[in-house]
Amino acid sequence: MDASVPLSTAPHARMTQLAEAVRSERLELTTALLEVETHTTAVTELDWVLAALTAGPATAWLSQRRGIGTVFAATPATLPLYSTLLFALAPALAGNRVVARPASVSRDCVRLLYALAAEAGLAIEMVDQSWGEFAASAVDHADGMVYCGSAEHAARLDQDLPERVRLICQGPGVCAAVVTDSADIQAAAESVIATRIFNSSQDCMATERVYVHHAAYPEFIDALLAAAGRVRVGPNADPDTQLGPLLLTGLTDRWLADPASCGTVLRAPGHDGPACGLAIVEAAADAPIVLEEKYCPILPVVRYHTDRDLAEMLALGDYALGLTVFGAELPVFGTLDFCHVAVNSSLYEHEDAWSAFGGHRRTTLVRGPGLRRTGPVLVPYTLTDPL
């Protein structure tokens, strides 16, 4: 702890200093981000970082908590600066020493932010280790760990880390949208497209499947295809680009090489240089394209008839994170376990770095002393104790 800053103000003083540094280095940070995402995404990401660092009353509880020791953080490739804040800087602001391993494909984008955080007094170290070395080091040295990535790696960490280590794993999301027969069809179509292509379709909160009431289906498909046709595909540096080259290409061959194998093709992807256009397919509710995470620009559409049909469809699959519903009268969903729900708006409109985040099924694991659960978790709170 910096002895020159009183305990009650230390986290906020460091947040203020870091916010000022981010503002002063915004151009350089944006330039780095353009290597991995569109200009629009970079602007949004930095706005979210600054909003989090200037949250004020929302973070008052930080001064009443103390760190648990050393936290290891494995952060994701996409939205690298905001992800760094959520999963690495936030535990450090709460009083932990953090050893962070950014994903290799966007690691260079975050070096400046880590340097600025260290200058602001955060006890944070960025390492370039292989995943195997990092995970093994966590087994021996971590008091807590944050992992963002595959459910398979999360299961292995759960097995290997000692029970005393607090563990938070955030895995695939596969968010859903529902268009009821009372929806504003045009608004729903525009929102579904905008949220499907956010960060070039590589974001855990992006709409990855849409369920449409049969009575609204023909009109919605017309509006959806029209909205998709207006999407601007191009290079990341062009401020007008909405869909740029993909940072992560591992799933592209599976889903985009032969869209017809996924369902009835309503819109072929097309190509514009290194970037792919948005593909739209009609698919069965239990098709892999519907239930698995894609991280590439393809959108499956499912037709439903009754609320009971819809509830059964939404209960399928291993992942449940976010749900968006369009319509004046909401269907009865029973006990569906989507953790983040937006009504006639997008999940992105409610973004808040200091709110609990996560999902059920295999999406999130939270483990601690006497605790094992799924669902939303506020990382810096869970990795601290009361003073």
Side-chain angles (χ1 to χ4, degrees), residues 249-267:
T249 58
L251 295 175
T252 306
D253 288 345
R254 179 178 182 188
W255 302 119
L256 291 179
D258 182 17
S261 66
C262 302
T264 302
V265 177
L266 303 179
R267 187 178 195 273

Side-chain angles (χ1 to χ4, degrees), residues 94-113:
N96 293 289
R97 170 181 176 263
V98 175
V99 180
R101 180 189 183 273
S104 57
V105 293
S106 56
R107 190 168 294 164
D108 287 344
C109 298
V110 300
R111 294 187 188 279
L112 176 57
L113 181 59

Side-chain angles (χ1 to χ4, degrees), residues 61-102:
W61 57 270
L62 276 171
S63 61
Q64 303 303 314
R65 307 284 291 182
R66 59 180 175 84
I68 60 171
T70 298
V71 171
F72 278 57
T75 58
T78 55
L79 296 184
L81 298 187
Y82 191 53
S83 296
T84 293
L85 173 70
L86 293 177
F87 303 118
L89 300 191
L93 284 165
N96 293 289
R97 170 181 176 263
V98 175
V99 180
R101 180 189 183 273

Side-chain angles (χ1 to χ4, degrees), residues 41-59:
T41 304
V43 169
T44 299
E45 182 175 356
L46 283 164
D47 284 346
W48 285 350
V49 168
L50 288 169
L53 292 173
T54 55
T59 60

Side-chain angles (χ1 to χ4, degrees), residues 175-176 205 320-324 337-342 347 355-359 375-376:
C175 297
M205 295 296 281
L321 181 59
L323 176 68
T324 305
D337 52 7
F338 290 87
C339 291
H340 305 275
V341 178
L347 293 169
S355 292
F357 175 79

Side-chain angles (χ1 to χ4, degrees), residues 133-160:
E133 292 172 328
F134 184 73
S137 184
V139 169
D140 293 332
H141 303 294
D143 298 299
M145 184 162 189
V146 184
Y147 169 73
C148 303
S150 72
E152 291 72 26
H153 272 160
R156 185 59 184 266
L157 286 170
D158 185 27
Q159 174 184 312
D160 291 347

